Structure formats: C-alpha cells, structure tokens
Amino acid sequence: MGFNWPVQFKTSLGPGLWAALLAVPACILLLYFLKLKRQPVVISSTLLWRRSMEDLRVNSLFQRLRRNILLFLRLLLAFLILMALTGPKWAGSQAQGRRLIIAIDNSASMSATDVKPDRLTYAKNQASEVIGRMNSSDLAMVIAFSDTAEVVSSYTSNKNLLRQKISGIQPTQRRSDLRDALQVADGLANPSRQTDGVVATEETTPRLMIYTDGGFQDISGFSLGNLEPELVVIGSPPPPFKAGQNEDKLNYSARNLAILALQARRNDESPNTIEVFGRIKNYDAADTETELKLYRLSNAGDQKTLVDAIKLNLTGESERGFQFSIADIGPQALVVESGFIDDLAIDNIAYTAVPPEKKPGVRLVTKGNRYLTNYFKSAGLKNSIEFSEMLPSDLSKPEVQNELKLGTISLVIFDSCAPADQSPQSNCIYFGAFPPDKKFQSLKSFQNPAVLDWDSTHPLMQYIRDLGQIRIRDVRIPDPAPAGIRPLVESDKGPVLFSSPREGFTDVVACFALADDKSFNTDWFLKYSFPLFLSNSLQHLAGLSAESADTNHPPGSSFSLIVPGMAGESLQIRPLHNPAESANIINIDSSGRAAITAPASQGVFAVNNAEKLVDLFPVDLFDDRESDLSIRGLPPSGAPQTVADKYQIKIGFTPVTGKGRSSGIDSPLWKAIAVLGLFVLSVEWYIYNRRVAL
C-alpha cells in the first residue's frame, strides 16, 4: 500500500540544470574545507602556539564543520532555493491543468449576518482564496446563482480578473434554486482546449465548487455526469449532536423574525374600510417582542406616512397573524416594517397595495339561459365583474357593435349565436356556435359523442375531473379540424371543446349547445366541472383574479396585466418605494395584455398610462426557506454516519455532504519557501557582519 505524501513536487527543469544546481552545496562545502581562518594574534609567550598550530593541521570534515553556523545557514539557503525550484504544493484532488467551476449563491438568505460580515461576503472571500492557489495552467469560471444563474466569468487563468468578478457579485432578494446553476455548469464543463489564450494541458474532470447555505430543495432528474461537486456550506453550523437526542430534530434555531405574508382587501361588509392581513414567524427558540408599523406611500413615492402600529409577542419558533384596519382613500401603496433587529433584514419589511377599482367587463349574449345568467349574477361575482346581458338581436345595434370593436370588454360569451361578420376585440366563448371565420364553415354533425379525455394541463381545464360523466346529444365538429386549434375535450367523434387563437385573442368553442328552445342538449351545467370551467374562464380570459396586479409577486417573476381598451399603447412602471429609480416602459399587445417582469428587489410599483394610474402591484420575497437561516447540507459535529446521511443534499441520485470550509486545491509552496530563504539569508548576513561569536 502506497503512502500519499501531503506535499507534491513537480518541475520543468532538465537533468543537466539539476546537476549544476546540486553542485552548489558541494562547492560551498569545498570552499569551507580549503579556506583557513587565521587571525593575526600578538602573543607574549609560546603557550598559545599550540592553539595556533591546530589551525595548520589537516582540515578534517568534523574539524571544519564544528560550531560553524554560517556554513549551515548557507547550506540551508541553498536547500531552500532548490526546494522552491521543484515547484512543491500541498496535495489536492486535482493535477496541474485543472478546471474549476465556482458557483456562488447570492439569493436572499445569503445576506444573513450570522457569519461576519455576511454570508455572501464570507463565501466570496473563500472563493478568492481558492483562486489565489491556482497554478498558471489552471482555468476557472465563476457562476452566481439564485433562482436563475448568471455566468460572471467564463474560463480564464487570470487570477486578478477572477477575483474582480467574484468581488462584483451583488446580493439579490430572490429565492434560491441550484438547478439553473447546475445546467449552466454542465453545459460549460468541457470548453475548447484554448480559452482566453490559455491552452489546457490535459483533459481533467471539472471540479464544481458550490458556495451556498443550502436553501434549496434536492435537485431531482439531473445527472452530474463528469462534474465533481464540492459543497461548501456557508452559515452558522448546526449544534453538536448529543447521544440519545431525537435524530429528526436538532433544535437548530436561527435569530430571525420574518414577515411571510401581507395582503390588503376592501371590506365588503364595512364600506370605506381596507383590511390589511399579514403573517409573521419567529425562527428563534427564544421568545421575541416586536413592533409592526404600517406606512402609506404617496402616489409620487416621496413621502411615507405612519398609519398604524401594533406590538406583538411571539413565542419561540412560532408564527401568528396580524391585522390592520384603515380607511379606504382609494388606490394606495402600503408597507409594513418590523422593528426587531435580527440576522436578515430583507424579510423585516413587506409591501402590499390597494389598486384602483377595476372590474373586467363580461357580456353574455343569449336568448335566456338561466344557468349562465345565474352564475354571472351570483353574489360572489357581483362586486368583481361588470356584467351585462343582451339578446342576439342586439348585436346589430350600432352602439353594441362600437363597444365590441373598441376592446373595452374583457370577455364576451355567445350562447347559441355568433356575430355576423366580425369577431369582437376581446376573448370569446361560444356555446353551440362558431366564430365568423372561414375555417369554421365546414361542419359535420354527430349525436351522442362519448368524452374520452381532456387537457388537464390547460388553464381553462384545471381542477376539472368529471367530464367523463357528461352527456351530449347533438354536436357539430369542424371537418377537417382547423389548423392551430388546441383540443380541450376529446370525444370519439373528435374535439368537442377547443381553443383557437385570433390576432392576440382567444376563442373557446364548445361544439354543442347547452339547450335549445324545447329541451336540454347536455347535462354539463349540472356537474361540478361547469362552474369550474366558467371560473377558470373569468380568471384566464377576463383577467379576474389570476391576472390581478394586487397579487404579491416574487422578485424576478413574470405575470401579465390585462388593460382593456389600451391595445398598442405603452405603460410606465414606476417604483414608489424608491422614486430615485428610473421607470420602466412596456407595451400593451393587440389583445390588451402587458407582459410584466417583476423587478429583482422588493417594493411596490405604480403602473401608469400617461398621467393615469392604471394599477399598483407589490413585489415581496415571502419565502419560508429563505427566511429560515438554518443551513442545509452540513451534518452536526459528532453525529453518527446514519444521522449525517440525513443532512446530505441530493443532486440527481448523488448525495453530497457539505463542508464548513473548502478543502481547496493544490497550493504552491514556493512563495513561502522563498520568504523563508530570505529570512535565513538575513540571519546569515547579521551573524557575518556583527561577528557574532557562536
């Protein structure tokens, strides 16, 4: 069995040069053998002649070396020079020409200050130390990741550039997800042999060094391939494991108090009142008292007014709700702040908004279907939508045609009827009728179709389970099926419900009527799925709640805003919490939708069209895992292997155990040896010049 030396040697010097260098110590010894060190001495007697004669005797090795510290110092200096030329380094896991992929977590929890100055800075310092131990032929790249990944530096051997890029990584207020970083690392694990003008001397397994607090779920469905991961866990370590304690609970508390939810709603039972609801959690084992303050931001964002304040007591590792009741003065931006000083400041503040009252317009064109009418006139929708009902004959009226052309209505429902020549500038649902389009002119009639399957992944069909039980008497199905349609419900005769895109809008067509003048054509409206389908339609076609901007959005998330009647215009998104930030301009598409990407930081934002306030939306973290500062991936000290295995993070099928510090890479020692050699040279110079007697 071999022995693994902790120091490795590697040099590019040839045998001839090494032979010349090894002759240096021999020359030093030879000079000391040949040199006689006589000193002129005036004597008054021959009694001291015996001592002088000893200097004339044959120079024996032991006689010349005895008590001659200058010789030993010079030999030591020569030895150190030779050692430095061998290129010694601490043994690591890779050979020369290594490839390093350094992934640094900059999610919200990495701003925690439980390690000084904060987790992200601590991680960057450790990564910079690894960069400092690189050899000239090593290549490294840097990735910063939260819920998305960014390549901060591509493969390079430039240490100064790598340190500069690492230093420039900024904290974010986003959630953590390692998957994107792994996918980027996997795609860049095998670059070309020449990068940044540096040629990789040999193909090696890329080493992936992940600096994180482990605030993400296990990564399933991912293969590391030829990546060699090393997980460096940043944060306060878990408490030591004690024999006999519960293996599933560590009593690992973190000093953090977090607001995890905040929402503002108009009170239907109390006019002119806004109810602000929230939830706060104490992650510390100790009881905590805090004061929550509710502020209102001005529409210009330049003033913050205190509205109300409450004091809360939270026992250790508990959570509770809180509530404010304030006056409804119209659209307003609100912020709640906790006065408790803890290790993570990001979740001590939360935003919400009371947007302008806007109700999506819904028009029902029918001869009198009480099932549809009763649903849209229900108490639950009365204050949520602007609903009106009209007869099919009203479609010929100029004022109705003008309203349908302007696009101010979000959703039009046609029951056994359709417009004569032009579809409305809005989303539409057709029951037993088809849009006025040539592709729907060829129809084929069937009776008693059997429902076989439905597209449960489509937003209009979510939560629907009982379609296999419905009965349909007569259907008319386009034959052949028009290009571009998406079947939502399939039968043995073909699609009986489908969606069809139309110039930025969506037409949803049920190929069967609900009822005719004499009898029912289907029993669908007697099933649970029918009101669910209508509810989904209001959300995703009319923009009732799924598209409501007063819903809280995580930083960096995407959503859409429906703005009826403003197709082709532009909107300005302005941060009210920080008026100094510049506004963002977005465009409204032809369907009246504006695609919005929430900013990467928390706040509340106003959406304006010229000087008109269109909407308000908040952006908040609200993530229990980011606020829970207990690290993940690092087993407690003293834990048996069966317990330590529970703290591993799984990447695909590979369990990875974290470390408190990086094991580093092979570290060159020639610099330290050179410094030691200079010290030896200084001591030798001092002894020689000071005539120190040794």
Side-chain angles (χ1 to χ4, degrees):
M1 183 174 65
F3 181 78
N4 294 324
W5 289 93
V7 178
Q8 296 178 351
F9 301 91
K10 191 170 184 179
T11 181
S12 59
L13 300 180
L17 186 56
W18 266 113
L21 292 174
L22 290 174
V24 173
C27 293
I28 294 175
L29 286 173
L30 182 61
L31 290 175
Y32 270 81
F33 294 156
L34 298 177
K35 180 180 178 181
L36 297 178
K37 295 185 177 180
R38 293 192 180 96
Q39 295 182 359
V41 178
V42 178
I43 59 174
S44 58
S45 170
T46 60
L47 294 176
L48 299 178
W49 186 254
R50 182 180 304 170
R51 179 69 181 271
S52 298
M53 290 299 294
E54 291 179 357
D55 204 26
L56 296 176
R57 295 176 181 173
V58 177
N59 294 299
S60 68
L61 176 62
F62 295 103
Q63 180 69 19
R64 298 300 302 152
L65 298 181
R66 183 168 59 93
R67 299 182 64 185
N68 198 328
I69 193 171
L70 289 179
L71 173 61
F72 288 112
L73 288 175
R74 287 165 183 165
L75 289 174
L76 177 61
L77 179 59
F79 173 75
L80 291 175
I81 293 174
L82 295 177
M83 281 286 294
L85 291 175
T86 64
K89 56 182 179 291
W90 293 115
S93 61
Q94 299 286 354
Q96 190 121 355
R98 297 154 297 189
R99 290 188 184 142
L100 305 176
I101 302 176
I102 297 175
I104 300 177
D105 185 355
N106 64 343
S107 61
S109 59
M110 291 295 286
S111 297
T113 57
D114 56 334
V115 293
K116 301 303 179 184
D118 56 68
R119 291 182 177 182
L120 180 58
T121 303
Y122 191 86
K124 293 194 294 185
N125 290 340
Q126 284 209 39
S128 296
E129 291 178 5
V130 172
I131 296 299
R133 294 195 294 269
M134 285 173 52
N135 294 324
S136 59
S137 58
D138 294 338
L139 298 175
M141 67 176 298
V142 181
I143 300 173
F145 72 93
S146 51
D147 54 356
T148 60
E150 176 190 3
V151 178
V152 176
S153 174
S154 57
Y155 274 110
T156 180
S157 60
N158 189 327
K159 294 184 181 181
N160 291 331
L161 177 61
L162 289 168
R163 290 194 190 98
Q164 179 183 352
K165 294 295 185 180
I166 290 174
S167 177
I169 296 176
Q170 297 298 316
T172 69
Q173 298 180 9
R174 303 174 72 125
R175 299 170 179 176
S176 179
D177 189 350
L178 183 62
R179 181 177 296 274
D180 277 5
L182 291 174
Q183 291 174 344
V184 172
D186 183 54
L188 298 174
N190 293 300
S192 61
R193 294 183 62 85
Q194 184 167 350
T195 306
D196 269 7
V198 179
V199 179
T201 57
E202 57 185 0
E203 294 296 330
T204 60
T205 300
R207 185 173 180 184
L208 174 61
M209 306 181 70
I210 306 170
Y211 295 86
T212 179
D213 56 11
F216 47 80
Q217 299 296 327
D218 289 341
I219 310 301
S220 59
F222 183 87
S223 175
L224 284 168
N226 63 342
L227 287 173
E228 180 185 326
E230 177 180 318
L231 186 68
V232 183
V233 181
I234 308 297
S236 299
F241 184 84
K242 297 180 180 179
Q245 77 175 62
N246 186 348
E247 295 184 358
D248 297 324
K249 184 172 177 59
L250 266 184
N251 297 320
Y252 185 178
S253 62
R255 189 173 178 273
N256 189 37
L257 197 68
I259 302 174
L260 295 180
L262 187 66
Q263 202 168 46
R265 285 289 183 267
R266 291 183 169 90
N267 192 335
D268 295 334
E269 298 180 358
S270 177
N272 304 319
T273 301
I274 299 294
E275 302 292 344
V276 180
F277 303 92
R279 184 165 54 92
I280 189 169
K281 183 173 182 179
N282 179 19
Y283 292 90
D284 198 346
D287 296 347
T288 300
E289 180 182 85
T290 186
E291 183 178 29
L292 296 179
K293 294 182 178 180
L294 174 66
Y295 295 92
R296 179 185 293 118
L297 302 178
S298 65
N299 290 336
D302 55 352
Q303 294 182 356
K304 186 171 74 170
T305 306
L306 179 64
V307 179
D308 201 355
I310 56 174
K311 285 189 176 181
L312 295 177
N313 291 310
L314 290 96
T315 58
E317 297 182 341
S318 69
E319 61 180 289
R320 60 175 298 182
F322 60 87
Q323 180 179 350
F324 297 96
S325 294
I326 62 175
D328 185 358
I329 60 173
Q332 51 188 312
L334 303 170
V335 55
V336 173
E337 297 180 2
S338 168
F340 185 74
I341 306 300
D342 53 27
D343 289 334
L344 186 63
I346 295 173
D347 53 18
N348 293 341
I349 185 170
Y351 298 88
T352 189
V354 182
E357 283 196 89
K358 59 182 190 311
K359 300 177 181 179
V362 179
R363 301 292 181 266
L364 174 61
V365 187
T366 181
K367 293 180 180 180
N369 188 321
R370 63 187 179 92
Y371 294 97
L372 288 173
T373 302
N374 290 343
Y375 175 81
F376 290 111
K377 288 185 176 180
S378 62
L381 292 176
K382 181 176 63 175
N383 297 321
S384 301
I385 63 174
E386 289 185 0
F387 174 74
S388 65
E389 185 179 343
M390 66 181 71
L391 295 171
S393 58
D394 293 334
L395 293 175
S396 60
K397 295 180 180 180
E399 61 272 19
V400 174
Q401 292 181 353
N402 186 54
E403 183 184 47
L404 297 180
K405 290 179 181 179
L406 288 176
T408 56
I409 302 173
S410 300
L411 178 63
V412 182
I413 302 171
F414 295 95
D415 178 33
S416 298
C417 63
D421 54 3
Q422 186 177 2
S423 295
Q425 292 297 297
S426 60
N427 297 320
C428 298
I429 299 178
Y430 294 86
F431 290 102
F434 294 86
D437 195 308
K438 293 181 180 180
K439 63 184 180 181
F440 298 114
Q441 289 182 351
S442 178
L443 303 174
K444 195 170 183 178
S445 298
F446 298 94
Q447 287 187 332
N448 301 320
V451 174
L452 302 178
D453 196 11
W454 56 93
D455 186 358
S456 59
T457 63
H458 195 281
L460 295 180
M461 309 304 293
Q462 59 184 349
Y463 313 124
I464 291 178
R465 299 291 183 269
D466 59 0
L467 287 180
Q469 304 174 16
I470 70 171
R471 297 179 181 179
I472 304 172
R473 188 179 61 191
D474 297 316
V475 297
R476 292 184 301 161
I477 299 176
D479 186 28
I485 69 169
R486 177 174 178 176
L488 302 180
V489 179
E490 287 278 7
S491 74
D492 57 343
K493 309 299 183 182
V496 294
L497 182 69
F498 60 84
S499 65
S500 176
R502 169 178 50 87
E503 297 178 352
F505 299 102
T506 299
D507 291 327
V508 177
V509 180
C511 301
F512 53 93
L514 298 178
D516 54 28
D517 296 335
K518 298 180 180 180
S519 61
F520 297 125
N521 189 53
T522 179
D523 63 352
W524 187 22
F525 44 77
L526 300 178
K527 307 297 183 182
Y528 288 116
S529 58
F530 187 68
L532 281 175
F533 172 76
L534 295 179
S535 175
N536 292 338
S537 299
L538 287 178
Q539 292 183 13
H540 298 283
L541 297 180
L544 176 59
S545 62
E547 306 291 352
S548 179
D550 63 338
T551 302
N552 294 92
H553 303 282
S557 63
S558 298
F559 63 98
S560 61
L561 179 66
I562 295 180
V563 193
M566 294 187 183
E569 299 185 30
S570 61
L571 297 175
Q572 183 186 65
I573 300 179
R574 182 167 48 89
L576 294 183
H577 61 286
N578 188 3
E581 290 185 18
S582 58
N584 187 26
I585 305 297
I586 61 173
N587 295 320
I588 306 172
D589 63 22
S590 58
S591 67
R593 292 174 181 260
I596 298 177
T597 299
S601 58
Q602 297 185 119
V604 63
F605 300 83
V607 182
N608 294 83
N609 177 247
E611 299 299 324
K612 178 184 176 183
L613 178 64
V614 175
D615 226 318
L616 292 168
F617 69 89
V619 175
D620 291 284
L621 178 62
F622 292 162
D623 189 277
D624 180 70
R625 187 62 195 89
E626 291 298 317
S627 296
D628 185 357
L629 299 183
S630 57
I631 61 176
R632 181 169 172 265
L634 184 66
S637 60
Q641 189 61 42
T642 56
V643 176
D645 290 343
K646 297 180 180 180
Y647 293 87
Q648 294 176 331
I649 292 178
K650 287 187 178 180
I651 301 178
F653 296 102
T654 305
V656 181
T657 301
K659 304 176 181 178
R661 291 191 65 88
S662 171
S663 59
I665 60 175
D666 296 349
S667 179
L669 295 177
W670 68 268
K671 294 181 180 179
I673 294 175
V675 171
L676 181 60
L678 290 175
F679 174 76
V680 171
L681 181 62
S682 301
V683 172
E684 195 271 345
W685 176 86
Y686 176 81
I687 294 174
Y688 180 81
N689 286 278
R690 295 286 182 174
R691 300 289 198 272
V692 176
L694 293 172

